Amino acid sequence: MSVGTKVSIKNLVLRTPLLTGSGTFGYGDEFADIVDYDKLGGIITKSISLEPRSGNPPPRICETEIGGLINSIGLANVGVDDFLKDKSSLLPLHKTEVFVSVVGDCVEDYVGVISKLQVIKDIAGYELNISCPNVLKGGLSLGGDKEAVAAITREVRAITKRIISVKLTPHYSLIEPVAEAAVNSGADALTLTNTLMGMMIDAEKRKPLLGNITGGYSGPPLKPVALAKVYRAAQAVDVPIWASGGIVSGIDCIEFMLAGACGLQLGSVLFADPFAPNRIMSEMEEYCERHGVEKMADLIGALEV
Amino acid sequence: MAKKNNMVIAEKGVVEQILKISDDIWDMTIYAPRIAELCRAGQFVHVRVNDSFAPFLRRPLSIGPTWGEYFRLIFLVKGTGTKILAQKETGNEIDLIGPLGKPFQLPEPDQSPILVAGGIGAVPLLLLDDQIPSQQNRDFLLGIRSEKNITVDEIEMERRGITVSSDDGSIGFHGTVVELLEKRLEEKGEKNQVVYGCGPGPMLQALKNLCLAKSVPAFISLEVPMGCGIGACQSCAVPKADGSGYYLVCQDGPVFESTVVDLNPESLP
């Protein structure tokens, strides 16, 4: 039996539900020698800002004792102008859908970046990063405000017909109101979730392990948090949800689909296992065959409660 | 756009031999023909120590001496990852990505290279020693804390003519390896010398300062916490000396001309 792997979002069909999580896959070309792009429904780039950002002071990454990691990259990126000049011509080479993640400090930044990116024909859509915990302005502080989420989404919607996914923070105790605000303002999809704010301390040295002191916690320990956000949001809104949070296996992906996700973002897992797209697709296919599931899309929201 | 250095290879290596050299130092010989053939001194492999996700990240380890289809990894057991690595046995598979990063630039024929290693920093310099043409004179200095922390075995030290210094005077020159380097530069004169260094941050900073003062060019190899190893995640940043931002150790390094990076303890990971 050949399992159907396609999923759709708005008017676009992705060949598999697998996507790369923003910030873990560079601009899309770094992994070209080792990752099998055929297994990816799409890639999501590093977050692009209006001006270049050099990022946070090092160290920028540390592991936690229980199989997670914390990063504080600080949204280092080349800025939209250099992205257009140096990176955009590479996008069609990836032979998969490309979504550009966009970040800013205010509504005008998001509109500014996207109006420049609109001229590139090889972009399928945008993911609005309004939830990064590693920047002083914007990022989480914007994402924490329901009105700001609505305003950014509305203004971006006004200048593009391309797919817009809004990436939200896991910090809300209730995800539903902000999910509704994004969707009512024109979001085609939601990405749930960004990292949780966390920190690690070296007790011997009495120092934080990260240069920025706090960072974004990711990896397997985040999965239950993200599952709950996906599940709750899927009950509240009727748009596709892209899950992001601790996915390392095909079974993790199946769990997120059952909870209501239509897309599955591979993030930190790619650092440990760049071959994850292949492995995870086989594991998902094996599950589907074992359960007589003909199309992976049939699993979306199929949780029995 | 930053140009990619080389083809990145994913290869399952096989452990051929693993030996304990001294307290916490292990020497592993790996069969990995594709990486062994392509790698150059200063490059590293990104090693996945097991199939689970604990520890989560790969370990970046400098590639040591190669011969034919084999190369050596000499590593310090420092945490969970290297502890798991030290438990590997002959015949075990080992998941590698490499060779990564920019290699050392070999000395010009009229230059007289001095290789300066601090502890486990000897590893990439052993390969460099092999890649410098045999007729070219070179000095190889190795600094360790104490005799029991030796990172290169005695036979190999003898064969390569390595001069040792120890912080406690238990073996070789009593003092730091940078003090030994200073002495060596005074004996030999500074003309046409080129220094290659690898070791802990404070040692590299002292080496950089000495070479600046003596106007001797120096290339250093850095070790920092790393994520993907191939330039995508931007975790392995090191500040530029001119304050204009950061280099990525995995992609712009790990080898740098010593004057371009900021090695102040407050700036370094």
Side-chain angles (χ1 to χ4, degrees):
Chain A
M1 179 180 106
S2 163
V3 180
T5 62
K6 290 177 182 163
V7 289
S8 45
I9 172 163
K10 209 175 174 184
N11 49 1
L12 190 68
V13 176
L14 305 182
R15 65 183 168 225
T16 80
L18 301 188
L19 300 151
T20 61
S22 175
T24 60
F25 206 64
Y27 301 102
D29 52 319
E30 291 86 347
F31 280 94
D33 289 342
I34 43 179
V35 167
D36 191 351
Y37 287 51
D38 290 348
K39 304 294 180 191
L40 296 173
I43 60 178
I44 299 168
T45 68
K46 270 194 81 57
S47 293
I48 307 295
S49 53
L50 204 49
E51 301 294 333
R53 294 189 186 192
S54 58
N56 285 338
R60 291 180 173 178
I61 194 167
C62 67
E63 286 173 308
T64 65
E65 298 90 342
I66 48 162
L69 64 144
I70 307 186
N71 83 81
S72 74
I73 310 301
L75 296 166
N77 79 98
V78 296
V80 68
D81 292 334
D82 277 8
F83 179 81
L84 285 168
K85 186 155 59 75
D86 298 330
K87 303 290 181 189
S88 61
S89 62
L90 301 171
L91 302 182
L93 303 178
H94 304 326
K95 297 195 165 52
T96 187
E97 301 298 342
V98 176
F99 299 89
V100 177
S101 172
V102 177
V103 73
D105 293 338
C106 56
V107 175
E108 292 73 24
D109 286 358
Y110 288 87
V111 170
V113 172
I114 289 172
S115 54
K116 289 189 175 199
L117 292 173
Q118 281 291 97
V119 299
I120 307 174
K121 66 173 172 40
D122 303 297
I123 294 175
Y126 306 104
E127 184 175 85
L128 308 183
N129 178 0
I130 47 176
S131 44
C132 177
N134 287 328
V135 284
L136 290 175
K137 286 195 294 176
L140 190 55
S141 54
L142 279 178
D145 176 351
K146 195 175 75 174
E147 277 67 44
V149 171
I152 294 166
T153 311
R154 196 167 50 238
E155 296 300 318
V156 169
R157 179 79 288 164
I159 60 162
T160 184
K161 291 191 167 60
R162 289 175 174 170
I163 289 165
I164 300 172
S165 182
V166 178
K167 187 170 183 176
L168 298 174
T169 167
H171 289 113
Y172 306 108
S173 48
L174 285 176
I175 195 81
E176 293 88 337
V178 71
E180 284 162 0
V183 172
N184 292 338
S185 306
D188 300 306
L190 298 175
T191 301
L192 300 171
T193 69
N194 210 315
T195 54
L196 262 178
M197 190 184 284
M199 71 185 283
M200 289 287 282
I201 290 174
D202 181 336
E204 298 301 321
K205 296 181 184 163
R206 299 190 178 196
K207 294 258 186 201
L209 284 185
L210 294 174
N212 194 46
I213 303 174
T214 61
Y217 187 22
S218 67
L222 201 65
K223 187 180 79 172
V225 177
L227 269 173
K229 298 301 178 200
V230 167
Y231 175 73
R232 297 287 292 261
Q235 305 298 307
V237 295
D238 194 21
V239 296
I241 293 172
W242 289 346
S244 166
I247 292 173
V248 297
S249 72
I251 296 301
D252 292 337
C253 290
I254 301 290
E255 292 169 10
F256 274 111
M257 291 189 96
L258 293 171
C262 141
L264 306 150
Q265 296 192 359
L266 310 184
S268 313
V269 65
L270 293 166
F271 303 162
D273 181 15
F275 323 107
N278 259 316
R279 174 179 58 80
I280 287 176
M281 275 314 285
S282 322
E283 289 166 357
M284 291 176 73
E285 282 164 6
E286 188 275 328
Y287 173 93
C288 289
E289 282 167 10
R290 195 154 42 85
H291 288 265
V293 176
E294 289 174 17
K295 301 195 302 285
M296 286 180 185
D298 292 343
L299 291 167
I300 301 169
L303 185 71
E304 293 172 11
V305 285
Chain B
M1 183 184 117
K3 264 211 140 101
K4 293 190 70 168
N5 298 320
N6 280 312
M7 173 83 183
V8 177
I9 292 170
E11 188 167 29
K12 295 271 186 208
V14 179
V15 177
E16 174 72 15
Q17 187 184 55
I18 178 160
L19 301 167
K20 190 173 184 189
I21 298 186
S22 65
D23 281 8
D24 302 334
I25 305 286
W26 296 77
D27 187 340
M28 181 189 273
T29 300
I30 298 174
Y31 172 77
R34 295 168 68 209
I35 291 175
E37 186 196 359
L38 282 175
C39 69
R40 287 182 288 159
Q43 291 187 299
F44 64 97
V45 280
H46 220 16
V47 182
R48 192 165 180 213
V49 299
N50 61 21
D51 286 342
S52 80
F53 290 89
F56 197 85
L57 295 170
R58 287 173 180 263
R59 270 34 185 179
L61 295 174
S62 281
I63 301 174
T66 63
W67 66 97
E69 299 175 322
Y70 298 85
F71 66 83
R72 279 163 67 199
L73 290 180
I74 305 167
F75 57 93
L76 169 71
V77 174
K78 207 159 55 174
T80 338
T82 40
K83 201 169 180 179
I84 294 168
L85 208 55
Q87 285 159 1
K88 301 277 181 201
E89 294 170 1
T90 302
N92 286 170
E93 265 198 351
I94 185 155
D95 178 343
L96 306 166
I97 296 174
L100 301 172
K102 286 193 176 143
F104 285 111
Q105 196 183 309
L106 292 179
E108 299 297 329
D110 64 341
Q111 280 182 321
S112 171
I114 308 179
L115 283 51
V116 187
I120 199 67
V123 183
L125 299 178
L126 293 172
L127 180 55
L128 179 65
D129 188 39
D130 291 337
Q131 292 185 344
I132 294 172
S134 55
Q135 68 275 17
Q136 201 163 354
N137 279 329
R138 86 285 315 264
D139 283 278
F140 197 148
L141 317 179
L142 168 64
I144 49 177
R145 274 177 291 143
S146 169
E147 190 172 12
K148 66 180 191 327
N149 306 112
I150 198 87
T151 50
V152 181
D153 74 48
E154 273 178 53
I155 299 167
E156 185 159 16
M157 282 214 284
E158 181 78 29
R159 179 169 66 77
R160 293 179 184 272
I162 296 176
T163 310
V164 186
S165 71
S166 57
D167 295 348
D168 65 357
S170 55
I171 182 172
F173 173 81
H174 187 177
T176 71
V177 75
V178 177
E179 287 162 0
L180 182 59
L181 169 65
E182 186 169 14
K183 208 165 138 256
R184 192 56 59 95
L185 285 172
E186 277 162 12
E187 287 160 11
K188 297 183 63 170
E190 288 123 32
K191 197 164 173 287
N192 289 341
Q193 305 283 353
V194 56
V195 167
Y196 295 93
C198 184
M203 172 214 141
L204 292 179
Q205 191 185 19
L207 181 146
K208 171 183 169 173
N209 292 343
L210 175 68
C211 291
L212 262 177
K214 303 264 185 195
S215 302
V216 173
F219 297 92
I220 53 173
S221 179
L222 300 182
E223 185 190 8
V224 300
M226 200 173 272
C228 69
I230 56 178
C233 74
Q234 314 227 354
S235 298
C236 56
V238 58
K240 294 181 180 177
D242 64 7
S244 68
Y246 300 93
Y247 290 111
L248 296 182
V249 171
C250 72
Q251 175 180 275
D252 304 316
V255 175
F256 294 92
E257 204 275 303
S258 69
T259 54
V260 306
V261 283
D262 177 358
L263 297 174
N264 287 316
E266 290 305 308
S267 317
L268 261 192

